[in-house]
Amino acid sequence: MERKASRRENECEEKTSNSESSELDKDYKTSLITLNVGGYLYITQKQTLTKYPDSFLEGIINGRIMCPFDADGHYFIDRDGLLFRHILNFLRNGELLLPEGFRENQLLAQEAEFFQLKVLSEAVKSRWEKEQLASRETTFLEITDSHDRSQGLRIFCNAPEFIAKIKSRIVLVSKSRLDGFPEEFSVSSNIIQFKYFIKSENGTRLVLKEDNTFVCTLETLKFEAIMTALKCGFRLLTSLDCSRGSIVHSDALHFIK
């Protein structure tokens, strides 16, 4: 009799355990929401979509806002499906994180307003204003020697990211040409200074290695700057010093997109 009673108790415990497990699985599944945004499917948790009270998504999930369903029973939102990934990432991370080179600030701001996410809308507008301000500011890169800064090449552009890109490219080229002599030049925020940067008989500025071998000319670096600019969609606005009659011989270049 005791064995039968014990067996019944174990069976009851197993049923209770299975029932609780089933309820947990059910709760977990119902916490996952699938959204169809402009034909793109996104699966996320209910708590993510309801993170900001009074938002459009919170209203849909909690039944305050009516939303149509697609053929598979998913919520359908007739908005930009590609941009929605940034909306969802904001809900997940609590901050605006966009890929490098993102250029759809105005569209994203409109999406933020539609989804009634005021914090995101303000963050996008702030980012946009900073980019507009930066685009009006001309930045520069100076390539010169450590003894005579009046000589060398100056590159001007209204895009700070381009200056950073072209600086890294010129450093890469210089290191390869200097072949194991990285100490031959130093790099700061807007200046690349060469240690052995002398003037040849015909006026061409050259980098001189310790074994007296000419390695890299200013014309080579200027060519690298122009090619990098063209590949990035910039154009040469003008040579800032045309007194020498040729872009090749000028001391400054000005790029703009």
Side-chain angles (χ1 to χ4, degrees), residues 143-146 152 170 173-179 181-186 192-200 203-221:
I143 304 170
T144 182
D145 64 30
S146 58
I170 289 176
V173 171
S174 300
K175 282 184 176 181
S176 65
R177 299 294 176 90
L178 288 170
D179 191 23
F181 289 84
E183 69 277 6
E184 301 295 328
F185 65 93
S186 61
I192 300 177
Q193 281 190 336
F194 285 90
K195 186 176 180 181
Y196 297 100
F197 202 46
I198 67 170
K199 185 177 288 187
S200 64
T204 302
R205 303 285 292 180
L206 301 169
V207 178
L208 180 64
K209 212 162 64 172
E210 288 183 348
D211 61 359
N212 292 326
T213 304
F214 291 120
V215 181
C216 191
T217 68
L218 255 186
E219 281 64 35
T220 301
L221 300 182

Side-chain angles (χ1 to χ4, degrees), residues 135-192:
S135 67
R136 292 193 292 267
E137 295 178 353
T138 299
T139 55
F140 74 95
L141 174 65
E142 182 178 345
I143 304 170
T144 182
D145 64 30
S146 58
H147 303 292
D148 184 5
R149 291 185 59 182
S150 65
Q151 300 294 326
L153 172 65
R154 293 166 187 81
I155 300 171
F156 296 84
C157 185
N158 63 344
E161 67 274 10
F162 171 73
I163 292 296
K165 183 179 182 68
I166 206 166
K167 180 172 71 173
S168 63
R169 175 61 182 163
I170 289 176
V171 169
L172 179 65
V173 171
S174 300
K175 282 184 176 181
S176 65
R177 299 294 176 90
L178 288 170
D179 191 23
F181 289 84
E183 69 277 6
E184 301 295 328
F185 65 93
S186 61
V187 182
S188 62
S189 58
N190 291 93
I191 298 174
I192 300 177

Side-chain angles (χ1 to χ4, degrees), residues 31-36 40-46 48-49 74 84 88 92:
S31 71
L32 295 180
I33 306 294
T34 301
L35 299 176
N36 182 340
Y40 290 82
L41 295 181
Y42 292 90
I43 302 176
T44 187
Q45 296 186 59
K46 180 179 179 180
T48 301
L49 299 176
H74 306 313
F84 186 74
L88 193 54
R92 289 166 173 161

